[in-house]
Amino acid sequence: MSSTEIDRGNWGSKLGFILAAAGSAIGLGNIWRFPYVAGQNGGAIFVLIYVIFVVMIGLPVMISELSIGRRTQKNPVGAFKVLFPKSFWKYVGGLGVITGIGILSFYAVIAGYTVGYFIKIILGDFNHVLTGDQSAAIFTSFTANPYVSISLLFLFVLLTVMVVMGGVSAGIERWSKILMPILFVLLILLAIRSVTLKGAGAGLSFYLKPDFSKLSLTTFARALGQALFSLSLGMGTMITYGSYISKKDNLVTSAAYVAFFDTLIAILSGLVMFPALFAMGLDPAGGAGLVFVVLPSIFAKMPGGMIFGAGIFLLLAVAALTSTISLLEVPVAYFVDEHKWTRKKAVIWMGVITFIIGIPSALSLGANSVLSTIIRKDFGFLDMMNAVFGNYSLSIGAFFISIFAGYKWGVHAVAKEIEQEGSIFYYKKLWMFIIRFICPIAIFFILSYIAWTGNYF
Ligand code: TRP
């Protein structure tokens, strides 16, 4: 073991890595973002394309990122520099560092709202909520308060900073292990309640019966962004995480586990959201407030619903925290490795910058009228950040990573890294074909279409 390996820490075990990587992947992307993006893009048809993209683009790119990270033991910028010094590739890593801050800035706003909802439920604010409209009114007035939104943003950035300051395995692993399984069980119980509500059938068919007439190329663009976002790909999170996996572990099976659990949770949360949404007569294309509106109206119809509700929002906040940790870890690892900052300095500075950039997002769900409608009536600053960093920046990153793995560093170099210590590279030939010919071409085509039509948001 080299000295850098000792300094940077290592995952305790293969399971530890899978849980932590799943902790990064599973978060608001699955439970907040997936249902509302699916709702805006035609429901089942979106879900179908999403799943295809997870397998055809997400998994191959994840394998690439993990192997780059394990080989180089570095942050994204350092990783490209080690493999090809003095080439332009380090800028791909640089884009990832910026994207990490960009995503974190709005992600922490929504994560803050989950904490806020936990507190509101405890305070009994939802005890008389029965209809979807009542629930929607509560969300609207909650996010219209600038002090609440900014304080919750601050709180969540602070929490993330505190955990990341503690270092890798100690901080992250401990959280993911215990709490993700509980979240899973609660979601199953909620899904059962949701599908048995009166009027749930329409929601189930919206979610599960594809309507091909709703298919457009824009759907592909949104599904690609969502797949990359949900799997934490395209900005080097998995490069950074890969740098902490042991050479003994099989990267391919690890990646497959992570992708499987992540997709399972997303699908499950759609199963919670859509039946209830239709039963309450709400609009599936309602946007970023969807989860916050739908969940409380389900709790109202469950015995002990408010205890349940408090539990789910608390766990959602924890799931968000294991993701924000991974987002902050990328810029932090960059400044520690490349600029020799102390971990403490890097974490504090990145935290301050994230908080400042997050403020306009925090004010854009009603608190400030200009920020709330910056792109159009129902599309504010947070939505814009979400599209720019959460869709396009990740798609561009994933494009370059697939070119890098497929052509520059090359498929044989990746294979060699994966086949360390006798590990088997399952579906090697298939992966080689996909990473060279499917991923870059599909992503290029989708991005060109969006640029061509100007249909960015
Ligand atoms: N995947 C996480 C979620 O679904 C969010 C996240 C964490 C992320 N790290 C990332 C998204 C890196 C994109 C890139 O909530």
Side-chain angles (χ1 to χ4, degrees):
M1 189 187 275
S2 72
S3 69
T4 54
E5 231 169 306
I6 296 168
D7 292 339
R8 305 180 85 244
N10 240 308
W11 301 105
S13 60
K14 173 169 177 176
L15 185 65
F17 166 76
I18 290 173
L19 286 168
S24 164
I26 296 167
L28 298 174
N30 311 60
I31 296 164
W32 161 72
R33 202 179 192 268
F34 175 76
Y36 98 74
V37 177
Q40 286 174 334
N41 289 284
I45 187 70
F46 173 90
V47 178
L48 181 67
I49 296 171
Y50 172 79
V51 173
I52 293 172
F53 278 0
V54 165
V55 177
M56 296 291 287
I57 296 180
L59 199 50
V61 170
M62 190 185 292
I63 291 168
S64 311
E65 283 199 30
L66 289 175
S67 54
I68 294 168
R70 190 174 69 180
R71 167 63 201 277
T72 58
Q73 296 288 307
K74 283 278 193 297
N75 68 86
V77 176
F80 288 114
K81 268 203 213 155
V82 166
L83 294 174
F84 294 95
K86 301 209 173 24
S87 71
F88 97 102
W89 286 96
K90 61 176 178 289
Y91 297 111
V92 175
L95 178 68
V97 171
I98 295 167
T99 305
I101 300 281
I103 293 179
L104 186 55
S105 73
F106 73 82
Y107 196 96
V109 171
I110 304 293
Y113 288 159
T114 64
V115 177
Y117 259 54
F118 168 71
I119 297 168
K120 278 169 85 68
I121 290 176
I122 303 257
L123 295 177
D125 286 10
F126 292 99
N127 287 351
H128 304 290
V129 174
L130 285 168
T131 69
D133 290 340
Q134 285 170 331
S135 185
I138 292 182
F139 183 69
T140 306
S141 70
F142 173 65
T143 57
N145 185 326
Y147 304 104
V148 169
S149 290
I150 291 178
S151 311
L152 289 171
L153 164 67
F154 181 80
L155 174 74
F156 214 88
V157 172
L158 184 68
L159 278 174
T160 308
V161 160
M162 280 161 47
V163 178
V164 173
M165 200 104 89
V168 179
S169 33
I172 306 174
E173 227 169 296
R174 212 180 317 141
W175 287 101
S176 320
K177 256 184 208 165
I178 320 160
L179 294 160
M180 290 302 114
I182 305 179
L183 177 68
F184 184 64
V185 173
L186 286 190
L187 282 176
I188 290 182
L189 295 174
L190 273 178
I192 292 172
R193 175 67 272 215
S194 181
V195 297
T196 54
L197 288 169
K198 210 161 132 250
L204 275 179
S205 59
F206 176 81
Y207 184 49
L208 298 174
K209 256 178 63 194
D211 174 354
F212 285 88
S213 72
K214 290 193 185 131
L215 187 59
S216 75
L217 282 170
T218 309
T219 315
F220 284 90
R222 304 294 182 261
L224 172 66
Q226 178 58 27
L228 296 172
F229 187 95
S230 193
L231 295 168
S232 301
L233 296 174
M235 56 155 272
T237 298
M238 292 296 164
I239 294 181
T240 306
Y241 270 42
S243 72
Y244 301 107
I245 318 184
S246 135
K247 295 274 181 203
K248 290 194 292 292
D249 291 339
N250 187 315
L251 293 179
V252 178
T253 49
S254 300
Y257 274 117
V258 173
F260 175 77
F261 285 120
D262 186 72
T263 307
L264 188 66
I265 299 273
I267 298 289
L268 191 56
S269 86
L271 215 47
V272 173
M273 240 53 83
F274 288 105
L277 203 149
F278 277 73
M280 312 283 168
L282 294 163
D283 175 10
L290 209 61
V291 209
F292 296 96
V293 174
V294 174
L295 287 181
S297 37
I298 308 179
F299 307 145
K301 296 196 163 56
M302 295 175 84
M306 292 306 146
I307 299 174
F308 218 93
I312 196 93
F313 275 108
L314 185 63
L315 288 171
L316 202 47
V318 175
L321 185 61
T322 55
S323 303
T324 54
I325 296 167
S326 74
L327 284 161
L328 187 59
E329 185 63 34
V330 171
V332 166
Y334 165 71
F335 282 103
V336 170
D337 291 346
E338 303 304 311
H339 298 280
K340 306 291 170 248
W341 288 16
T342 63
R343 194 169 177 84
K344 192 170 160 193
K345 176 177 167 191
V347 172
I348 289 174
W349 272 108
M350 293 306 114
V352 169
I353 290 170
T354 302
F355 171 67
I356 294 170
I357 300 177
I359 290 173
S361 288
L363 298 176
S364 73
L365 288 175
N368 177 290
S369 60
V370 175
L371 292 169
S372 304
T373 54
I374 203 155
I375 302 291
R376 54 170 191 259
K377 196 174 125 280
D378 58 347
F379 208 93
F381 193 85
L382 188 147
D383 298 298
M384 184 192 79
M385 295 292 277
N386 191 357
V388 170
F389 291 105
N391 275 3
Y392 303 124
S393 190
L394 297 179
S395 302
I396 292 167
F399 170 77
F400 282 112
I401 287 164
S402 53
I403 296 280
F404 185 80
Y407 299 94
K408 178 71 187 172
W409 192 32
V411 287
H412 297 289
V414 175
K416 190 169 157 232
E417 176 57 36
I418 288 173
E419 290 167 340
Q420 300 259 350
E421 309 205 6
S423 289
I424 299 168
F425 191 164
Y426 300 99
Y427 301 105
K428 177 161 77 177
K429 287 270 158 8
L430 183 62
W431 174 84
M432 288 178 169
F433 177 77
I434 292 178
I435 204 72
R436 300 188 68 168
F437 300 110
I438 306 282
C439 295
I441 293 170
I443 299 173
F444 184 79
F445 184 71
I446 289 169
L447 286 175
S448 308
Y449 165 79
I450 290 293
W452 179 256
T453 57
N455 193 1
Y456 300 108
F457 303 112

